[in-house]
């Protein structure tokens, strides 16, 4: 089903090693024991961000409001009271951020396009000035030899479309397809890799089920509608882009996590199976097998019209996998989410500052599942990273040994998965910059670059130095020879 295109090889070939190395204290601070196994020479190294989390400039050049503008300005919705109004001001500071990536030796940048910049009303007239920003960003990336990986939707729906029902309105498949076509028409001559959606199940669960993300809707019926219409939009847009362009690598991005019962009680085992269906297979099964998970077929049946499942099963060129940890689940009759919820972690499990378990082996499990049950698609890890309570910058660097160790362990897992035959092609760290972490606000820092939100000063963390060493195959990282220098 997955077609590996010649494009991938040519995209990688055009990625040049940036001329100047990263002259940072961070490099020295990152020295690690030689414990990361070798990754293939053509492995692609990138960093990931999303529009609302970093761009700021929410009223610049005709951008319309998004559901996250509305949500973050609603008192009580964001834990630290911040908004994405300014965030990292990447809209104005993108050139320096690209320069930083180049100096670190990163080869690819996954970012998202803000639909409300391109179509402020969600449909209709295209706002050329909004697209101009991405034009400038893409040119800056290409000038540094960094491959742009664009994602068309990372949760920032135009508010005007929410007012028309948003993801509950079936018409959104057409709205999204029009927006995707307009965007690719402008950028597709230079951006060759396009993901349709970021984590539809997470958007449906938290934004349309639990209600702690925008647009703040709740309940199972709401979740089901948001799921189906995202799946449909993904397939419809991808097919339209495929028909119009023959030289693009088209895919989508899912959040995948192994789901385990938190106890040995039978009801928790049953809950884990339901949770797995609602988080993972709700997207995987329609995408790869053209059906909804059996447990929920009846819930989806009233929404599914003839042809929908065939449209959703659009052949992908790649699947983006965002991996953070496993889910440990208990039976929870009051939970909207298939009467299941997150439960206690196994004793002794280390966690990040988000309370998320640190379980690198889960990445191997996710990739093995794709290998064994979904035809071993061509995969990029499009997000992986960790939030820790980092110390303040000292002498131009932030020392973040926990993040270094997190990355080291997950890169080892990536190598393990490749050794086991999984078609993993690259790794994008989440995130390039500390940013606006949705309902948590600015207090939760995932960046490999520290951002002082008061001054917008960027300070590289030791973890960026570590990644830079790994990419360049420096002695001491254990990945000797795996850097960009040896790419095809
Ligand atoms: C993912 C989101 C991303 C970021 C990370 C921490 O689910 O895609 O925007 O918030 O979690």
């Amino acid at each position: 089903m997955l077609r590996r295109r010649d494009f991938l090889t040519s995209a990688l070939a055009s990625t040049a090693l940036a001329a100047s190395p990263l002259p940072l204290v961070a490099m020295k601070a990152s020295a690690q024991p030689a414990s990361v196994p070798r990754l293939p020479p053509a492995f692609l190294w990138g960093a990931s961000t999303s529009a609302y989390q970093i761009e700021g400039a929410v009223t610049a050049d005709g951008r319309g409001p998004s559901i996250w503008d509305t949500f973050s300005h609603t008192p009580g919705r964001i834990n630290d009271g911040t908004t994405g109004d300014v965030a990292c001001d990447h809209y104005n500071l993108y050139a320096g951020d690209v320069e930083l990536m180049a100096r670190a030796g990163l080869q690819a940048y996954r970012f998202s396009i803000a639909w409300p910049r391109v179509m402020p009303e969600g449909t209709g007239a295209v706002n050329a000035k909004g697209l101009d920003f991405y034009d400038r960003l893409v040119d800056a990336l290409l000038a540094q030899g960094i491959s742009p990986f664009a994602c068309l939707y990372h949760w920032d729906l135009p508010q005007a479309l929410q007012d028309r029902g948003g993801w509950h309105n079936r018409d959104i498949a057409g709205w999204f397809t029009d927006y995707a076509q307009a965007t690719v028409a402008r950028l597709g001559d230079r951006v060759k890799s396009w993901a349709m959606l970021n984590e539809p199940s997470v958007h449906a669960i938290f934004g349309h089920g639990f209600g702690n993300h925008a647009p703040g809707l709740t309940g199972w019926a709401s979740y089901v509608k948001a799921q189906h219409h995202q799946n449909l939009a993904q397939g419809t847009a991808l097919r339209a882009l495929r028909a119009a362009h023959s030289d693009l690598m088209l895919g989508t991005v899912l959040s995948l996590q192994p789901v385990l019962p938190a106890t040995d009680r039978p009801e928790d085992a049953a809950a884990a199976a339901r949770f797995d269906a609602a988080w993972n297979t709700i997207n995987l099964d329609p995408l790869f097998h053209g059906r909804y998970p059996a447990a929920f077929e009846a819930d989806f049946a009233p929404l599914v019209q003839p042809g929908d499942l065939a449209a959703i099963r659009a052949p992908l060129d790649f699947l983006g996998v965002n991996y953070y940890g496993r889910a440990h689940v208990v039976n929870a009759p009051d939970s909207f989410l298939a009467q299941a919820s997150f439960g206690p972690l196994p004793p002794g499990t280390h966690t990040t500052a988000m309370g998320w378990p640190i379980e690198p082996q889960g990445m191997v499990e996710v990739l093995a599942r794709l290998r064994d049950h979904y035809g071993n698609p061509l995969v990029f890890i499009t997000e992986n990273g960790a939030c820790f309570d980092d110390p303040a910058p000292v002498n131009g660097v932030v020392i973040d040994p926990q993040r270094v160790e997190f990355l080291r362990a997950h890169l080892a897992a990536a190598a393990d998965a490749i050794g086991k035959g999984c078609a993993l092609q690259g790794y994008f760290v989440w995130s390039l910059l500390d940013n606006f972490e949705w309902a948590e606000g600015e207090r939760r820092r995932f960046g490999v670059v520290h951002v002082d939100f008061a001054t917008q000063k960027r300070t590289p963390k030791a973890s960026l130095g570590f990644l830079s060493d790994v990419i360049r195959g420096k002695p001491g990282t254990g990945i000797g020879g795996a850097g960009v220098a040896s790419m095809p």
Side-chain angles (χ1 to χ4, degrees):
M1 179 180 193
L2 271 280
R3 287 176 293 132
R4 175 168 189 150
R5 298 199 158 193
D6 293 343
F7 160 72
L8 183 65
T9 324
S10 58
L12 296 180
S14 69
T15 303
L17 178 63
S20 61
L22 192 69
L24 299 169
V25 185
M27 303 271 289
K28 295 196 182 71
S30 73
Q32 287 294 304
S35 53
V36 182
R38 181 178 288 265
L39 285 151
F43 199 71
L44 188 68
W45 298 95
S48 197
T49 63
S50 89
Y52 187 73
Q53 293 180 275
I54 64 164
E55 285 179 359
V58 290
T59 56
D61 297 328
R63 177 187 180 277
S66 78
I67 55 174
W68 269 99
D69 296 285
T70 308
F71 194 78
S72 66
H73 280 269
T74 306
R77 288 301 205 174
I78 309 300
N79 283 338
D80 64 1
T82 55
T83 72
D85 286 4
V86 179
C88 308
D89 199 20
H90 179 75
Y91 192 80
N92 294 304
L93 302 177
Y94 71 92
D97 295 336
V98 170
E99 173 73 26
L100 207 47
M101 281 190 269
R103 285 163 61 204
L106 289 164
Q107 305 155 351
Y109 178 47
R110 171 183 177 247
F111 59 98
S112 78
I113 310 269
W115 188 344
R117 285 199 197 283
V118 178
M119 289 181 171
E121 294 296 317
T123 56
V126 170
N127 175 34
K129 283 187 169 176
L131 278 168
D132 287 349
F133 166 65
Y134 298 105
D135 216 55
R136 293 191 293 274
L137 172 64
V138 165
D139 286 347
L141 290 165
L142 293 174
Q144 296 281 7
I146 298 173
S147 298
F149 274 58
C151 180
L152 284 162
Y153 183 73
H154 199 125
W155 304 352
D156 48 355
L157 189 74
Q159 180 62 44
L161 294 185
Q162 190 59 45
D163 298 341
R164 295 162 72 182
W167 291 106
H168 285 177
N169 186 335
R170 187 182 164 86
D171 290 346
I172 200 165
W175 303 337
F176 180 68
T177 301
D178 291 347
Y179 150 68
Q181 283 178 309
T183 304
V184 175
R186 176 74 183 275
L187 301 171
D189 57 334
R190 285 151 294 149
V191 180
K192 298 299 175 187
S193 175
W194 292 89
M196 302 300 107
L197 302 179
N198 178 71
E199 299 189 353
S201 73
V202 176
H203 194 36
I205 290 168
F206 294 102
H208 300 78
F210 283 122
N212 62 336
H213 278 192
L217 302 177
T218 56
W220 178 252
S222 165
Y223 155 89
V224 168
K225 274 189 228 160
Q227 273 293 11
H228 182 61
H229 296 141
Q230 284 185 93
N231 281 334
L232 189 60
Q234 172 277 130
T236 309
L238 193 144
R239 280 170 185 271
L241 294 176
R242 172 90 71 223
H245 306 267
S246 58
D247 62 337
L248 302 181
M249 197 166 90
L250 303 175
T252 199
V253 172
L254 303 181
S255 166
L256 298 178
Q257 52 184 343
V259 181
L260 303 172
T263 76
D264 54 12
R265 297 185 312 172
E267 60 267 40
D268 291 339
R274 297 193 302 270
F275 189 104
D276 180 50
W279 188 290
N280 296 313
T281 51
I282 206 74
N283 298 129
L284 283 170
D285 280 6
L287 258 180
F288 289 92
H289 298 320
R291 59 168 187 256
Y292 277 109
F296 302 143
E297 251 171 1
D299 301 297
F300 280 82
L303 297 176
V304 178
Q305 295 189 8
D308 282 9
L309 290 170
I312 294 169
R313 195 185 181 183
L316 306 173
D317 296 316
F318 72 95
L319 180 69
V321 172
N322 295 352
Y323 175 77
Y324 288 94
R326 300 187 183 106
H328 303 270
V329 164
V330 289
N331 186 45
D334 293 339
S335 168
F336 99 86
L337 188 63
Q339 290 79 52
S341 76
F342 292 101
L345 301 177
T349 305
H350 294 292
T351 59
T352 69
M354 297 288 280
W356 297 353
I358 301 174
E359 300 177 313
Q361 202 54 29
M363 181 191 279
V364 183
E365 293 158 14
V366 159
L367 295 172
R369 184 180 193 180
L370 294 172
R371 180 197 61 200
D372 296 343
H373 299 284
Y374 297 98
N376 204 16
L378 195 155
V379 168
F380 294 92
I381 295 293
T382 35
E383 289 183 25
N384 175 246
C387 165
F388 290 109
D389 296 326
D390 300 322
V394 177
N395 295 331
V397 66
V398 169
I399 305 296
D400 59 341
Q402 292 166 297
R403 189 172 292 101
V404 170
E405 176 52 25
F406 182 99
L407 297 179
R408 190 204 60 73
H410 285 79
L411 293 178
D416 187 15
I418 292 170
K420 291 177 169 149
C422 301
L424 177 62
Q425 308 292 313
Y427 175 96
F428 293 70
V429 66
W430 183 272
S431 181
L432 177 66
L433 303 168
D434 290 339
N435 59 46
F436 177 79
E437 175 48 35
W438 308 118
E440 296 292 338
E442 290 172 352
R443 69 185 186 146
R444 295 297 188 210
R445 294 176 176 273
F446 279 83
V448 290
V449 174
H450 177 273
V451 175
D452 180 332
F453 291 107
T455 63
Q456 292 299 338
K457 183 172 168 46
R458 273 65 165 150
T459 304
K461 301 183 189 179
S463 50
L464 180 65
F466 168 74
L467 274 181
S468 181
D469 282 357
V470 170
I471 295 166
R472 291 198 161 96
K474 285 275 174 71
T477 62
I479 310 192
V484 282
S486 54
M487 292 178 85

